[in-house]
Amino acid sequence: MIDSHCHIDLEVFDSDRDNVLKHAFDEGIERLLVLGLSNRQFVRLLDLKRRYAQIDIALGLHPYFLKLQDTAQTQLMLDELSHLANLYQDHYIAFGEMGLDGSLPLNIAYQKKILCAQLSLAAEYKKPIILHHRKSHNHLIRLLKEQKYHGGGILHAFSGSYHEAMTYIDMGFLLGVGGTITYLRANKTRCSIAKLPLDKLVIETDSPDMPLSGFQGQRNQPSQLGLVVNALAELKNISSQEIKQQTTMNYLTLFGLSLN
């Protein structure tokens, strides 16, 4: 299995990160993608990658970690991102986590400006993107079409309608499937994912967030990825092994990687 989206670098794992990762590897996790959140945080990701061959990393500016800045400060932040992109281009496999979040007080116009800058870098360095969305499908889809983005990537933690899912797939994205499908109340998303082609899906935990049903209030971790697999297998009425094999292949193909 491959956890296509986690944040194992966060402070909540500082006291037992090595044990958490060992447990994940023991449970059959062969790779993990740890996402970029800010320029400053990227240094931690580089260190993680040096220590663990199984860890892939991404470079990006997450909307949660942005604050509205004046034009000069914003340009400095984007210049630093561009510098990191160039300096470490052989170390990261994607740009992200980037996106639009309609639940934040940060105005959407500013979020779009930062997202567009990252889309430009992704096109320049020919790397896929990892997209964050929340209450923003319409804005996000419109922006991607306006920017004529065709570089592919993963829409993280998909939740929405079948029509929205197919729109992203038609634009070249894989959809990240996580703990949401373990909740029976998430009927719209569960029904959508049940109908989607398996070769367009990857699996994720979003550790330490997005706890699975029955584990509310607890820290999520990559070793629980098998529970997502089981839930997806039940939804699609196929074996867990088929889910593992196909989603692993989807991830490796997207990033041009091999398990060897």
Side-chain angles (χ1 to χ4, degrees):
M1 295 179 287
I2 295 178
D3 189 346
S4 66
H5 196 112
C6 67
H7 300 281
I8 198 72
D9 62 300
L10 294 183
E11 290 182 2
V12 69
F13 291 110
D14 281 355
S15 65
D16 63 345
R17 183 174 294 105
D18 290 342
N19 287 334
V20 167
L21 286 169
K22 182 180 184 303
H23 190 195
F25 301 147
D26 289 346
E27 289 295 316
I29 310 299
E30 295 172 291
R31 296 184 89 104
L32 308 92
L33 177 56
V34 187
L35 282 299
L37 302 175
S38 67
N39 291 332
R40 179 180 299 180
Q41 169 257 6
F42 186 65
V43 176
R44 293 179 64 122
L45 301 192
L46 290 169
D47 180 63
L48 266 179
K49 182 168 178 58
R50 291 187 189 104
R51 293 176 57 206
Y52 290 99
Q54 303 97 322
I55 286 180
D56 299 317
I57 62 173
L59 169 65
L61 303 173
H62 192 302
Y64 278 1
F65 294 85
L66 294 174
K67 62 180 180 180
L68 188 61
Q69 303 181 84
D70 64 31
T71 302
Q73 291 173 315
T74 298
Q75 191 57 53
L76 282 174
M77 177 180 67
L78 295 178
D79 287 346
E80 183 179 6
L81 182 70
S82 181
H83 174 70
L84 292 170
N86 181 61
L87 187 61
Y88 296 106
Q89 59 185 286
D90 295 331
H91 294 71
Y92 60 92
I93 65 169
F95 282 92
E97 181 175 354
M98 63 177 77
L100 301 175
D101 195 307
S103 69
L104 297 176
L106 185 65
N107 75 69
I108 203 74
Y110 189 75
Q111 292 187 48
K112 287 181 177 180
K113 178 177 181 177
I114 305 304
L115 175 55
C116 285
Q118 294 180 88
L119 291 177
S120 294
L121 284 174
E124 179 180 351
Y125 289 97
K126 296 180 173 56
K127 293 182 187 280
I129 63 174
I130 313 299
L131 279 178
H132 169 92
H133 69 91
R134 191 172 183 188
K135 299 180 180 178
S136 60
H137 281 311
N138 290 339
H139 284 293
L140 196 51
I141 289 169
R142 188 179 305 118
L143 184 146
L144 290 169
K145 289 182 177 179
E146 288 172 352
Q147 296 296 311
K148 297 180 172 58
Y149 178 78
H150 302 294
I154 298 172
L155 183 77
H156 155 57
F158 173 75
S159 63
S161 68
Y162 176 77
H163 174 73
E164 288 166 336
M166 290 307 300
T167 299
Y168 287 109
I169 287 173
D170 289 344
M171 288 192 291
F173 287 92
L174 300 178
L175 303 183
V177 179
T180 299
I181 65 168
T182 65
Y183 292 86
L184 295 179
R185 66 174 182 268
N187 187 59
K188 181 180 179 181
T189 298
R190 284 166 54 86
C191 287
S192 298
I193 288 174
K195 294 186 291 184
L196 295 175
L198 184 57
D199 65 354
K200 301 300 181 183
L201 305 180
V202 288
I203 49 176
E204 60 178 55
T205 62
D206 198 22
S207 306
D209 299 320
M210 208 160 66
L212 283 68
S213 178
F215 297 87
Q216 295 92 323
Q218 300 180 34
R219 181 186 69 176
N220 195 6
Q221 55 189 48
S223 60
Q224 294 182 309
L225 188 63
L227 299 177
V228 175
V229 169
N230 293 341
L232 183 56
E234 184 177 342
L235 277 181
K236 300 189 78 63
N237 195 30
I238 57 179
S239 71
S240 295
Q241 187 60 29
E242 187 174 349
I243 297 288
K244 293 176 183 179
Q245 290 176 343
Q246 185 62 60
T247 56
T248 294
M249 182 58 63
N250 297 344
Y251 179 96
L252 296 175
T253 301
L254 173 65
F255 296 114
L257 299 172
S258 168
L259 288 177
N260 297 326

